[in-house]
Amino acid sequence: MQTSQSHPPTHYLLAFSRIVTGMVFIFSGFIKANDPTGFGYKLEEYFHVFGTVFLNDHAVAIAVVICGLEMLLGVLLLLGFWGRTVAWGLLLLILFFTFLTFYSAFFEVVTSCGCFGDAIPLTPWQSFGKDLVLLLLILVIFINREQIRPLVSDRYTQSIITVVVVVISLGIGIYTLNFLPFIDFLPYKKGNNLPKLMTLPEGQVGDQYEIIYTLKNKATGVEKRVSDKVYLAEELWKDENWEIIGDPESKLVKKGYQIAIPDLLISDANGDDVTHELIENPYYNLLIVAWDLEKTNTEALRKINALVMNAAEAYNVRAVLLTASSTQEAERISDELNLLTEIFYADAVPLKSMVRANPGVLLMQHGTVIDKWHYNTLPDFDTLDQLYFSKAYQDE
């Protein structure tokens, strides 16, 4: 009886809420800090929806701060430091997140919230449900915030630990931003075979759609909507009393197998498709990805160009530059830097997924990603030669 008085039910509920909320915030912050560039792209979608596109240039910096704040609040909540301040921070943050996910789901403006990055894709409604649960837990924490007791009572020690947590929380995002994610959850990760991920596996069925026609009776003016199956089965196309008006609509009937890479299309300056020719090259080849040449690191391109020159001279390694920029911009920067690469074009979306760097480099062979680098981590030619090129030459 004495135990129940010293530990009332609210004590256990508060402890449970703190542990669950703290762990979720730490995990959510870390998994997004693993890829702040990707989270920044997601923020740009929200900026577009709310008419704040002027923030696009700062999206990645904002992403790093948000990820760091999530991890910081999660750790401080578990440690019990600055209880009232942390409770207020959690409440304001979850209210903002809950509004954002509800707005995205209800108005169907953002198809994936990015709460857990690319590691655990959630639909907006799933994210909204998750935020509602967290909101309830955080309300328990907020109401009982005065009962939160720190694991370490000394304020000086608390301050030192808090500073360390701040540095680590922000440092993770800054590190992965300037190098590459610790864990690559995207389909272009090292070891993946791109052609296989671009095709539907045998035995799998893709999304199934039906076509909806709007028909109008020429005599009565009555309109009706029918599916393509009904249209063909009842041979309405033979009935001269009915005519199709407007454009047919495509409606998803059944969700099928989702191809990991559905949108990669590489073309040359003439618009000809060269996707498979490039990615299925049986020899080592270097893909330099600079999706936006206006914002790319030109000094990094110079260093990559020197590497390409050595690789081409020693082993005739093919090197291509992939970009979403215009032909004029590509030719301008190619002339300015005397680039030795061939230049091809693709949509920005798959290029951003290939490597979280502008520019970044992929080493490929037979359609498989052998390795990939941020421009800050790209090894010199001698290292690449020792690791890859010379071995392949000896094997031949």
Side-chain angles (χ1 to χ4, degrees):
M1 196 71 179
Q2 186 176 359
T3 303
S4 63
Q5 289 178 349
S6 60
H7 297 290
T10 54
H11 173 85
Y12 296 105
L13 182 59
L14 176 60
F16 174 80
S17 300
R18 285 176 58 191
I19 293 172
V20 173
T21 303
M23 295 302 292
V24 170
F25 266 71
I26 293 171
F27 176 75
S28 175
F30 176 79
I31 210 69
K32 291 197 292 289
N34 174 68
D35 183 12
T37 302
F39 184 41
Y41 295 149
K42 183 59 61 177
L43 290 179
E44 289 180 14
E45 293 184 40
Y46 284 110
F47 295 156
H48 176 75
V49 169
F50 292 103
T52 54
V53 292
F54 63 89
L55 293 173
N56 280 358
D57 290 338
H58 310 289
V60 176
I62 295 172
V64 171
V65 172
I66 291 176
C67 298
L69 181 59
E70 282 189 77
M71 287 186 283
L72 174 64
L73 290 175
V75 172
L76 294 182
L77 179 64
L78 294 178
L79 294 175
F81 294 176
W82 325 107
R84 283 175 290 183
T85 303
V86 169
W88 272 106
L90 289 170
L91 182 62
L92 294 175
L93 204 57
I94 198 60
L95 286 174
F96 175 70
F97 285 160
T98 303
F99 162 75
L100 213 58
T101 52
F102 172 77
Y103 190 94
S104 300
F106 188 80
F107 294 101
E108 299 181 347
V109 289
V110 178
T111 56
S112 176
C113 76
C115 301
F116 297 125
D118 293 292
I120 308 176
L122 297 179
T123 67
W125 282 119
Q126 290 172 334
S127 301
F128 176 63
K130 180 262 299 178
D131 286 342
L132 281 181
V133 173
L134 282 176
L135 178 58
L136 292 175
L137 295 175
I138 291 173
L139 283 174
V140 172
I141 295 168
F142 185 79
I143 293 171
N144 299 280
R145 60 190 181 278
E146 300 295 339
Q147 299 181 32
I148 298 176
R149 298 289 179 265
L151 295 181
V152 178
S153 58
D154 181 63
R155 285 283 181 170
Y156 179 75
T157 304
Q158 288 183 26
S159 299
I160 295 297
I161 295 175
T162 300
V163 170
V164 172
V165 174
V166 170
V167 171
I168 293 175
S169 298
L170 292 176
I172 292 173
I174 294 172
Y175 178 88
T176 53
L177 174 63
N178 288 282
F179 296 91
L180 282 181
F182 298 117
I183 307 172
D184 193 348
F185 294 103
L186 295 168
Y188 298 92
K189 67 181 179 180
K190 181 179 176 179
N192 276 9
N193 183 271
L194 304 192
K196 289 182 179 179
L197 298 178
M198 295 171 64
T199 56
L200 195 66
E202 187 176 351
Q204 296 289 347
V205 179
D207 291 346
Q208 298 179 37
Y209 293 85
E210 68 176 6
I211 307 300
I212 305 297
Y213 296 104
T214 301
L215 304 180
K216 181 178 181 180
N217 190 291
K218 296 178 182 178
T220 64
V222 173
E223 295 183 7
K224 66 177 181 179
R225 291 163 58 85
V226 298
S227 68
D228 53 343
K229 293 181 179 179
V230 173
Y231 185 75
L232 294 173
E234 297 182 3
E235 297 186 337
L236 293 174
W237 54 278
K238 291 183 178 180
D239 192 339
E240 297 182 357
N241 293 320
W242 294 94
E243 63 176 350
I244 298 175
I245 60 173
D247 296 324
E249 298 178 16
S250 180
K251 180 181 178 183
L252 180 64
V253 177
K254 185 178 180 181
K255 198 77 172 173
Y257 182 89
Q258 301 300 301
I259 297 174
I261 304 178
D263 53 357
L264 180 60
L265 177 63
I266 303 172
S267 60
D268 59 19
N270 297 320
D272 296 326
D273 185 358
V274 294
T275 308
H276 293 282
E277 173 193 337
L278 293 183
I279 66 172
E280 294 179 7
N281 188 335
Y283 305 102
Y284 278 131
N285 59 308
L286 294 168
L287 299 187
I288 296 95
V289 180
W291 66 273
D292 188 345
L293 290 173
E294 292 184 0
K295 297 180 180 179
T296 194
N297 186 312
T298 53
E299 185 58 33
L301 277 181
R302 293 182 192 276
K303 293 180 180 179
I304 294 172
N305 196 44
L307 171 63
V308 166
M309 180 177 66
N310 289 329
E313 288 180 353
Y315 298 104
N316 197 28
V317 173
R318 187 178 188 182
V320 301
L321 173 67
L322 302 182
T323 184
S325 296
S326 65
T327 305
Q328 294 80 4
E329 179 63 19
E331 291 176 351
R332 182 194 67 79
I333 202 164
S334 178
D335 293 339
E336 179 182 326
L337 302 179
N338 294 316
L339 296 183
L340 302 176
T341 60
E342 303 171 70
I343 302 177
F344 297 95
Y345 305 87
D347 187 77
V349 174
L351 293 186
K352 290 177 180 179
S353 298
M354 278 189 178
V355 58
R356 296 304 202 197
N358 185 28
V361 179
L362 282 76
L363 176 65
M364 297 191 60
Q365 183 183 34
H366 285 296
T368 298
V369 179
I370 304 300
D371 212 333
K372 62 195 296 188
W373 301 275
H374 190 286
Y375 61 82
N376 285 328
T377 61
L378 182 65
D380 58 23
F381 171 73
D382 290 337
T383 303
L384 284 179
D385 187 22
Q386 183 179 2
L387 290 175
Y388 302 109
F389 301 146
S390 61
K391 291 180 179 180
Y393 182 78
Q394 290 173 0
D395 291 340
E396 292 179 0

